[in-house]
């Protein structure tokens, strides 16, 4: 039999009457992600997704890499199916895992018998297979407490499966079960991580980026589009709404006190982002804000900023240390792009002494000097839609 993949479900197993909908969505997502790598049969049984190549032309390594980025699976393993027979199981282990086993200093066998019709229980399977392996590999010690290598045997409904240690999956919930969100995507480290983390909860993303040409360059825009492409490896294809923001920033510069530049700019961003989000069926906004990281991210400033919108605003990074955020950015492969030296619009007209504890009434009074609705309408008309998908 061919090598296949087993994707073990995470928190989906805790769902109640709607569990089937989550499972079906995960299978659909897996099938879609496997399509570039050949013909695969995808099915689900006993809280496990089976991914089986249908011919020898399938790109197993490419498909295996993609399995690591599919939300909904908590662990994944490559395995060899065989008949539900001790001789067949032993032969499959030698053929499939023999080299890894021979290179180990010690081993043990862990078995799981899901098919209760099989005559031996899990402990008996481990004892029988372990004894045979100990004879076949006398130079590898048996260590049931802290082995160098573990052989896994799973006796399931249709076959037995042998494999080595599983690898972590992406976790979370299948993309598409949690609705849609509009993520404010800058060129920094934080916002791509925030988008990734909300996508992990099964949420589809619509990205919104504010672009202030000529104060920010075309390279800065391309940097953001590349970040979006890298995010789609996990969250699937998305549209980036590139909003022309230059006129708004110049109007703020010309009519508002300098200390209010940042807070008023962010209020415009939230208003525009909400309208785009609602137009694309999103139920919330997501930002990369982190409490206390910069002047615009105090409790008072965030309260004033978010006072202009009427849908929930989520902040997945709100209590995280920068080191934690960087660690995730490195793992999802956005960090190196984020640190490219192309500035985004948040660095344009940055005040020397921004208001850190603004009062809503004072901000509204300053804002009244601007033609708010007209500026928003022209910015929305000057929005470019760019569809992105993963190209790796």
């Amino acid at each position: 039999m061919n090598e296949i993949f087993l994707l073990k479900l995470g928190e989906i197993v805790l769902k109640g009457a709607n569990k089937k909908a989550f499972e079906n969505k995960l299978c659909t997502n897996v099938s879609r992600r496997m399509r570039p790598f050949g013909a695969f049969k995808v099915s689900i049984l006993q809280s496990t997704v089976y991914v089986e190549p249908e011919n020898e032309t399938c790109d197993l390594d490419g498909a295996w890499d993609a399995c690591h980025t599919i939300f909904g699976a908590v662990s994944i393993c490559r395995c060899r199916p065989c008949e539900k027979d001790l001789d067949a199981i032993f032969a499959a282990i030698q053929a499939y895992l023999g080299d890894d086993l021979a290179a180990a200093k010690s081993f043990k066998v862990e078995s799981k018998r899901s098919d209760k019709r099989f005559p031996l229980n899990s402990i008996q399977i481990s004892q029988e297979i372990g004894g045979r392996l100990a004879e076949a590999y006398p130079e590898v010690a048996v260590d049931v407490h802290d082995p160098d290598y573990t052989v896994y045997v799973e006796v399931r409904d249709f076959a037995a499966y042998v494999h080595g240690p599983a690898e972590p999956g992406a976790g979370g919930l299948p993309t598409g079960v949690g609705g849609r969100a509009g993520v404010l995507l800058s060129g920094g480290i934080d916002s791509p991580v925030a988008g990734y983390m909300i996508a992990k909860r099964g949420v589809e993303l619509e990205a919104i980026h504010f672009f202030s040409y000529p104060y920010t360059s075309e390279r800065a825009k391309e940097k953001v589009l590349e970040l979006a492409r890298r995010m789609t490896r996990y969250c699937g294809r998305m549209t980036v709404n590139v909003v022309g923001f230059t006129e708004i920033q110049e109007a703020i510069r010309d009519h508002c006190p300098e200390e209010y530049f940042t807070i008023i700019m962010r209020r415009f961003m939230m208003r525009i982002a909400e309208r785009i989000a609602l137009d694309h069926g999103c139920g919330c906004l997501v930002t990369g804000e982190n409490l206390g990281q910069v002047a615009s991210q105090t409790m008072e400033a965030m309260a004033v900023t978010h006072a202009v919108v009427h849908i929930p605003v989520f902040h997945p990074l709100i209590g995280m240390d920068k080191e934690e955020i960087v660690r995730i950015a490195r793992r999802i492969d956005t960090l190196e792009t984020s640190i490219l030296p192309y500035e985004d619009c948040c660095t344009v007209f940055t005040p020397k002494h921004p208001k850190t504890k603004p009062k809503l009434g004072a901000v509204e009074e300053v804002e009244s000097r601007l033609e708010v609705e007209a500026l928003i309408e022209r910015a929305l008309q000057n929005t470019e839609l760019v569809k992105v998908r993963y190209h790796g």
Side-chain angles (χ1 to χ4, degrees):
M1 293 185 180
N2 289 324
E3 180 181 47
I4 75 167
F5 308 147
L6 298 181
L7 282 56
K8 307 294 181 69
L9 274 58
E11 61 184 282
I12 295 176
V13 301
L14 304 176
K15 300 299 178 182
N18 60 349
K19 178 181 176 182
K20 193 66 177 176
F22 283 78
E23 292 180 339
N24 290 341
K25 188 62 176 176
L26 177 57
C27 282
T28 298
N29 292 348
V30 173
S31 296
R32 175 176 53 80
R33 294 297 297 277
M34 293 300 101
R35 206 167 292 141
F37 308 104
F40 287 83
K41 177 184 177 183
V42 177
S43 58
I44 190 166
L45 186 68
Q46 295 176 328
S47 299
T48 301
V49 177
Y50 294 73
V51 183
E52 306 175 57
E54 295 188 348
N55 54 59
E56 298 296 327
T57 64
C58 292
D59 176 6
L60 290 182
D61 290 338
W64 175 244
D65 183 59
C67 285
H68 288 79
T69 64
I70 299 173
F71 289 130
V74 70
S75 69
I76 61 178
C77 61
R78 300 175 79 144
C79 64
R80 171 70 62 85
C82 62
E83 295 180 11
K84 291 187 285 186
D85 171 84
L86 288 176
D87 291 337
I89 292 171
F90 178 65
I93 291 171
Q94 285 191 298
Y96 188 59
L97 305 175
D99 290 344
D100 291 335
L101 188 56
K105 295 178 180 178
S106 60
F107 83 97
K108 75 171 181 178
V109 177
E110 284 194 10
S111 303
K112 181 179 180 181
R113 182 190 66 161
S114 300
D115 181 1
K116 303 306 181 185
R117 298 168 297 178
F118 193 75
L120 302 183
N121 62 30
S122 298
I123 295 175
Q124 291 169 330
I125 295 170
S126 294
Q127 290 173 336
E128 178 66 30
I129 296 298
R132 294 191 188 191
L133 291 175
E135 292 181 4
Y137 301 89
E139 71 284 0
V140 185
V142 176
D143 185 346
V144 297
H145 299 294
D146 188 24
D148 188 38
Y149 188 78
T150 301
V151 173
Y152 293 88
V153 177
E154 301 187 39
V155 180
R156 293 174 166 268
D157 280 6
F158 300 122
Y161 303 87
V162 301
H163 60 87
E167 297 182 13
L173 296 173
T175 301
V177 300
R180 289 178 58 78
V183 58
L184 279 73
L185 187 62
S186 72
I189 296 172
D190 297 346
S191 59
V193 175
Y196 160 82
M197 292 186 68
I198 203 70
K200 190 174 182 177
R201 304 311 303 160
V203 177
E204 295 178 330
L205 300 182
E206 184 84 13
I208 302 147
H209 174 66
F210 295 91
F211 182 56
S212 293
Y213 185 81
Y215 302 104
T216 55
S217 67
E218 285 292 331
R219 283 189 171 184
K221 182 172 78 170
E222 287 302 319
K223 170 185 171 180
V224 171
L225 296 177
E226 178 60 24
L227 285 172
R229 292 186 189 102
R230 290 176 182 270
M231 291 169 64
T232 61
R233 184 183 183 205
Y234 289 89
C235 61
R237 71 187 96 184
M238 73 169 84
T239 300
V240 182
N241 297 260
V242 182
V243 181
F245 205 55
T246 307
E247 183 187 7
I248 289 175
Q249 288 193 288
E250 290 178 338
I252 295 170
R253 177 200 60 190
D254 294 342
H255 296 93
C256 302
E258 182 182 357
E259 65 266 28
Y260 287 100
F261 283 3
T262 300
I263 194 72
I264 292 177
M265 176 191 73
R266 293 195 62 80
R267 280 164 62 88
F268 270 97
M269 287 180 172
M270 297 302 288
R271 290 183 177 103
I272 293 168
E274 180 183 45
R275 298 194 190 187
I276 292 173
L278 292 174
D279 284 346
H280 290 86
C282 300
C284 71
L285 295 175
V286 177
T287 78
E289 289 169 300
N290 178 268
L291 189 62
Q293 184 172 239
V294 296
S296 64
Q297 294 174 8
T298 64
M299 289 186 186
E300 295 85 352
M302 291 170 69
V304 171
T305 297
H306 302 156
V308 297
V309 300
H310 304 91
I311 59 176
V313 182
F314 295 150
H315 314 290
L317 315 185
I318 195 70
M320 297 178 67
D321 294 335
K322 194 66 176 185
E323 290 80 3
E324 295 176 278
I325 300 169
V326 168
R327 194 179 308 125
I328 296 172
R330 183 175 289 112
R331 176 163 55 81
I332 66 174
D333 196 28
T334 57
L335 180 63
E336 293 304 315
T337 302
S338 290
I339 62 177
L340 291 173
Y342 308 126
E343 303 291 352
D344 61 36
C345 72
C346 293
T347 63
V348 177
F349 309 136
T350 303
K352 292 181 180 179
H353 303 289
K355 281 281 186 182
T356 58
K357 296 183 178 182
K359 302 296 184 183
L360 180 58
V363 173
E364 290 176 335
E365 190 280 324
V366 171
E367 215 171 51
S368 67
R369 306 172 191 178
L370 303 170
E371 296 179 346
V372 173
E373 284 302 315
L375 287 167
I376 290 173
E377 286 300 324
R378 287 195 292 273
L380 288 170
Q381 292 169 9
N382 189 27
T383 296
E384 176 189 7
L385 272 62
V386 183
K387 297 186 181 297
V388 296
R389 61 189 306 169
Y390 187 63
H391 50 60

